[in-house]
Amino acid sequence: MSDSPATSTKPESDGDKRQRERAEQLLARAPVLASGGVTLASGRRLDYAVRAAFVPVTQGGIDAQRGELQAAVFTIAYSVPAGDGTPRPVCFVFNGGPGSASIWLHLGALGPKRVPMNDDGSMPRAPYAVVDNPLTWLEHFDLVFIDPPHTGFSLSASDAARKTLLSVDGDVDALAEVMRGWLASNGRFGAPLYLAGESYGTTRGAALADKMQAHGLGFEGVILVSCAMDLQSLIFAPRNDLPYALYLPGFANVAQYHGRLKGALAASPEAARAAAEAFVAEDYLTALHAGSRLDGRARSRIEKRIAELTGLPPALVQEKNLRINDQCFFFDALRDEGRIVGRLEARVTGPMAASRTREWEFDPGIEALVAPYTTASLAYFASLGIPTDARYEVLSLEVNKAWNWGRGSAEGVREANGFTCTSTDLARALRRNPHLRVFVASGRYDLGTPYSASDWSLAQVDAPAEVLARITHRYYDAGHMFYTRTADLAQLKTDLASWLGAGSGA
């Protein structure tokens, strides 16, 4: 938020008064305290405490000069007593959207409880419940899950605050205050700090690495799941040819999975990805750059290869001027079967309408997860004693639609000088803090934030080689929430432990 208290003398509206009173009521609630235990995969028993509480966000921060209340932000923290008296590391965790609560990482991979899902990404049958998670990250850190304003139970205190909070920079400022406030109220200053974010949570997470460093609270590590730091690599828009190239390896990988490729390309997902990556580097980027200057013979060769790599009809590739966007692939990859390909989990498909329109009504990849996670999380919260009388916003489309993607004085989905970008913040944080390390995790079947787009984004981080050596990128064989697949959940935990061990010099 801003660095000085609010000075506005404008009378408070009835709506703002109600919002402020509601936020104050949430903050006045006593923390919900609970306890539990989980047996880790190693066989060791881990007993933990749970603390669910609202943290205030105010203008001016947490000091004595703070201004008006901006928001009440819901957090759930898990802690384990330090055996030797040394402060345990603290890892702050959030998801993305924008507009998503933190239940995906909370009850999908990191917390001591998780929602079991089908390994193929399909929707399991009810009833839904949480089970113990022997692969919990609580083994390594105390965990603090944060629901940003207008997700979960979190609320802003006025319309003006809501407008500020639903923006790239306002969101970063607010979550920085939440983390500082949580550390202060829980007496945890001095603990090693980590951060984990997924999807848009990586957009905010990259910026927060630099913001917290500016506050004198540097992170030991930042964990980015399904990366989205550079929106230019993900948004299909006029004169932005980059996503067409960066999505193609993901399209090839998915087409191979669904049996749409032929010959050597069909042999394995590795073969399909390697061929697509080579084609992009050697031919496709040049062809896109040439545009209408590409001669007829070269154009025909490029059209043919795109069709071979995606399984799409050559006539469609020609019609789309060599540029296959995500919506085209979702609706046309399996059109002859009457199926839509999932965006966030492309192994999953859903039935088209009988009219086979190209109207995007739902994502079969995320649809399989929403009901199980929502139902199971609310039942779990109730079992902890957390009041569930208010609506818990799992995925708020209103927040997503209202989001201001500009930074600084820019407005709209793109910044004044391009698309929203926070990899520059991460690069600065890495250069400022010699101990900061970054772990990136990507799902091969994620067509929301494709692995190859993350490869490109990380390759553009503006730092010398010795700094870039502190970035680790690992890949998994499912979609955006790849940890719903049991094998990937286990591999993620193994990779995390290895990364943490390498950082400690073990």
Side-chain angles (χ1 to χ4, degrees), residues 178-248:
V178 170
M179 290 188 281
R180 288 205 298 175
W182 189 93
L183 291 168
S185 62
N186 289 274
R188 298 302 298 273
F189 285 127
L193 300 180
Y194 290 80
L195 178 153
E198 179 181 335
S199 195
Y200 184 81
T202 69
T203 316
R204 64 162 60 101
L208 279 165
D210 194 51
K211 173 67 72 172
M212 293 292 278
Q213 183 71 32
H215 289 332
L217 296 169
F219 288 108
E220 296 294 309
V222 170
I223 300 153
L224 305 175
V225 178
S226 302
C227 213
M229 295 188 296
D230 290 293
L231 274 293
Q232 184 180 5
S233 68
L234 303 174
I235 295 177
F236 293 88
R239 304 301 178 269
N240 181 32
D241 280 336
L242 190 59
Y244 297 105
L246 296 182
Y247 271 69
L248 195 66

Side-chain angles (χ1 to χ4, degrees), residues 391-403:
R391 179 173 177 172
Y392 186 82
E393 290 284 1
V394 173
L395 284 171
S396 174
L397 294 180
E398 289 185 8
V399 167
N400 195 276
K401 290 177 181 178
W403 202 258

Side-chain angles (χ1 to χ4, degrees), residues 89-106:
V90 174
C91 183
F92 293 100
V93 186
F94 36 73
N95 276 86
S100 175
S102 63
I103 62 168
W104 312 102
L105 287 176
H106 180 182

Side-chain angles (χ1 to χ4, degrees), residues 13 15-16 19 150 156-165:
S13 69
D16 280 351
Q19 289 182 67
H150 295 282
S156 61
S158 68
D159 285 342
R162 183 180 190 275
K163 184 176 181 180
T164 299
L165 295 167

Side-chain angles (χ1 to χ4, degrees), residues 196-486:
E198 179 181 335
S199 195
Y200 184 81
T202 69
T203 316
R204 64 162 60 101
L208 279 165
D210 194 51
K211 173 67 72 172
M212 293 292 278
Q213 183 71 32
H215 289 332
L217 296 169
F219 288 108
E220 296 294 309
V222 170
I223 300 153
L224 305 175
V225 178
S226 302
C227 213
M229 295 188 296
D230 290 293
L231 274 293
Q232 184 180 5
S233 68
L234 303 174
I235 295 177
F236 293 88
R239 304 301 178 269
N240 181 32
D241 280 336
L242 190 59
Y244 297 105
L246 296 182
Y247 271 69
L248 195 66
F251 291 160
N253 191 63
V254 173
Q256 191 278 338
Y257 179 87
H258 291 294
R260 310 302 286 189
L261 303 187
K262 299 177 181 178
L265 295 174
S268 68
E270 293 81 8
R273 291 195 303 268
E277 290 168 8
F279 170 69
V280 168
E282 297 165 9
D283 297 298
Y284 191 33
L285 284 168
T286 301
L288 290 171
H289 182 68
S292 62
R293 296 172 296 177
L294 194 67
D295 66 49
R297 180 177 299 178
R299 175 176 289 272
S300 295
R301 178 174 58 82
I302 298 297
E303 286 173 357
K304 179 182 178 182
R305 192 55 172 167
I306 293 173
E308 290 171 347
L309 289 165
T310 61
L312 295 171
L316 179 64
V317 177
Q318 182 180 30
E319 175 189 324
K320 296 300 182 181
N321 193 26
L322 310 182
R323 291 160 174 82
I324 303 299
N325 67 19
D326 52 354
Q327 297 286 313
C328 177
F329 187 82
F330 298 151
F331 283 100
D332 285 282
L334 301 177
R335 190 168 187 79
D336 57 347
E337 300 177 19
R339 309 291 294 180
I340 307 167
V341 172
R343 174 176 177 265
L344 295 187
E345 175 53 87
R347 296 178 302 153
V348 175
T349 66
M352 288 181 169
S355 57
R356 297 201 180 184
T357 66
R358 288 181 170 83
E359 184 176 349
W360 186 250
E361 297 176 301
F362 65 95
D363 175 5
I366 190 65
E367 207 71 32
L369 306 179
V370 172
Y373 270 80
T374 302
T375 304
S377 64
L378 290 174
Y380 173 59
F381 292 163
S383 73
L384 294 175
I386 299 171
T388 55
D389 51 330
R391 179 173 177 172
Y392 186 82
E393 290 284 1
V394 173
L395 284 171
S396 174
L397 294 180
E398 289 185 8
V399 167
N400 195 276
K401 290 177 181 178
W403 202 258
N404 179 358
W405 292 89
R407 303 197 69 185
S409 60
E411 295 181 357
V413 71
R414 299 171 190 85
E415 297 177 10
N417 63 341
F419 294 84
T420 305
C421 169
T422 60
S423 63
T424 50
D425 300 67
L426 183 66
R428 187 164 51 246
L430 281 162
R431 297 197 306 269
R432 295 172 76 177
N433 181 352
H435 304 296
L436 175 62
R437 299 167 63 244
V438 178
F439 179 87
V440 182
S442 298
R444 299 284 197 187
Y445 295 93
D446 176 7
L447 292 183
T449 60
Y451 79 91
S452 45
S454 296
D455 284 340
W456 177 87
S457 183
L458 294 170
Q460 310 309 312
V461 172
D462 188 12
E466 65 270 19
V467 173
L468 296 179
R470 290 189 260 126
I471 300 176
T472 299
H473 194 185
R474 295 288 181 263
Y475 308 89
Y476 304 89
D477 290 321
H480 200 71
M481 286 88 155
F482 56 81
Y483 44 78
T484 61
R485 180 173 176 264
T486 307

